[in-house]
């Protein structure tokens, strides 16, 4: 497991969600992190390690819901934060995450759903600070996610390229993937490791601190 430096308030300007309550004397809220996952509900090691470190640091439950796995059965009567660790507003964000929220509420849980990670201001600032010459993403159909990538390109000041249209000149591009997947495996060469975001120590630490700072 990678060592993690516990540094609260690591977001720019000690950033906090303005409408969320501050941590109470009862402790931090349980978190339910939603991730893509791999086939059959398999979870990449970089995510399981992040989960383990968060549980230890927050001293509160942190559960993981891969979108490729069956729905989790939580202990009854939870009051939790639903945190979609998803990078673009595709169908998972627009359909699957609301369905998870609604199911949990039907099961009697109190759920506060946060926006998807790719909409978090500090996260976008961190991506811009990495200084990549371009960003690579999975091929997308035209629509909301496609428009988001156009806005992301303008914000970062670099092109966002579909991985199926990239070439050798894009070896230094930043893959828009939290964990290693088929895209990063396909693009990985001896000259370019094509690291996923959570394989980069600075980005892993940054996301850890953002999640640690949640109330």
């Amino acid at each position: 497991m990678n060592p993690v430096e516990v540094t609260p308030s690591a977001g720019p300007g000690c950033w906090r969600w303005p409408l969320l309550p501050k941590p109470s004397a009862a402790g931090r809220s349980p978190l339910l992190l939603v991730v893509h996952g791999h086939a059959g509900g398999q979870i990449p090691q970089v995510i399981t390690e992040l989960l383990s470190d968060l549980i230890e640091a927050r001293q509160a439950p942190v559960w993981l819901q891969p979108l490729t796995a069956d729905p989790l059965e939580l202990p009854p009567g939870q009051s939790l934060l639903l945190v979609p660790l998803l990078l673009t507003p595709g169908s998972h964000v627009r359909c699957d995450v609301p369905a998870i929220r609604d199911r949990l509420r039907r099961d009697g849980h109190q759920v506060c759903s946060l926006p998807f990670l790719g909409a978090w201001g500090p996260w976008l600032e961190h991506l811009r600070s990495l200084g990549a010459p371009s960003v690579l993403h999975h091929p997308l159909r035209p629509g909301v996610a496609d428009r988001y990538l156009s806005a992301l390109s303008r914000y970062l000041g670099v092109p966002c390229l579909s991985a199926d249209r990239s070439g050798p000149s894009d070896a230094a591009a930043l893959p828009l993937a939290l964990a290693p997947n088929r895209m990063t495996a396909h693009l990985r060469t001896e000259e370019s490791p094509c690291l996923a975001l959570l394989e980069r120590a600075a980005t892993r630490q940054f996301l850890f601190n953002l999640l640690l700072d949640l109330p």
Side-chain angles (χ1 to χ4, degrees):
M1 183 179 300
N2 295 329
V4 170
E5 176 188 354
V6 179
T7 311
S9 306
C14 298
W15 175 82
R16 295 286 193 278
W17 287 102
L19 299 182
L20 288 181
K22 295 180 180 179
S24 69
R28 297 179 183 272
S29 299
L31 304 182
L32 178 59
L33 310 180
V34 178
V35 298
H36 278 289
H38 290 168
Q42 294 296 313
I43 304 169
Q45 183 177 352
V46 290
I47 292 179
T48 60
E49 290 178 352
L50 181 69
L51 177 74
S52 176
D53 290 337
L54 271 174
I55 291 172
E56 181 178 357
R58 285 180 63 86
Q59 298 185 344
V62 183
W63 297 291
L64 199 62
Q65 175 63 73
L67 292 169
T68 54
D70 293 334
L72 287 178
E73 293 296 331
L74 303 181
Q78 296 296 316
S79 179
L80 57 88
L81 299 179
L82 181 63
V83 186
L85 296 185
L86 305 171
L87 300 180
T88 61
S91 60
H92 291 315
V93 165
R94 292 180 285 111
C95 301
D96 295 336
V97 171
I100 292 170
R101 177 201 62 205
D102 293 346
R103 176 184 62 81
L104 291 169
R105 288 176 176 170
R106 287 194 303 270
D107 290 344
H109 304 294
Q110 296 183 32
V111 183
C112 178
S113 185
L114 296 185
F116 70 101
L117 178 60
W120 295 21
W123 175 256
L124 294 174
E125 290 182 25
H126 175 74
L127 293 185
R128 184 161 59 180
S129 76
L130 297 177
S134 60
V135 170
L136 294 180
H137 60 85
H138 280 292
L140 296 171
R141 290 174 291 187
V144 175
D146 191 49
R147 294 195 294 273
Y148 167 83
L149 288 171
S150 295
L152 179 65
S153 176
R154 293 193 297 272
Y155 181 84
L156 300 181
V158 300
C160 290
L161 308 171
S162 180
D164 61 347
R165 298 180 182 176
S166 63
S169 61
D170 300 313
L174 183 73
L176 205 59
L178 275 185
N181 57 19
R182 285 180 294 179
M183 178 178 69
T184 59
H186 175 71
L187 297 171
R188 190 164 292 174
T189 65
E190 291 184 2
E191 294 77 20
S192 173
C194 193
L195 296 177
L197 291 165
L198 287 181
E199 291 181 299
R200 301 163 186 260
T203 300
R204 183 188 191 277
Q205 183 70 53
F206 191 86
L207 180 57
F208 173 85
N209 287 329
L210 284 180
L211 296 174
L212 180 62
D213 273 353
L214 291 174

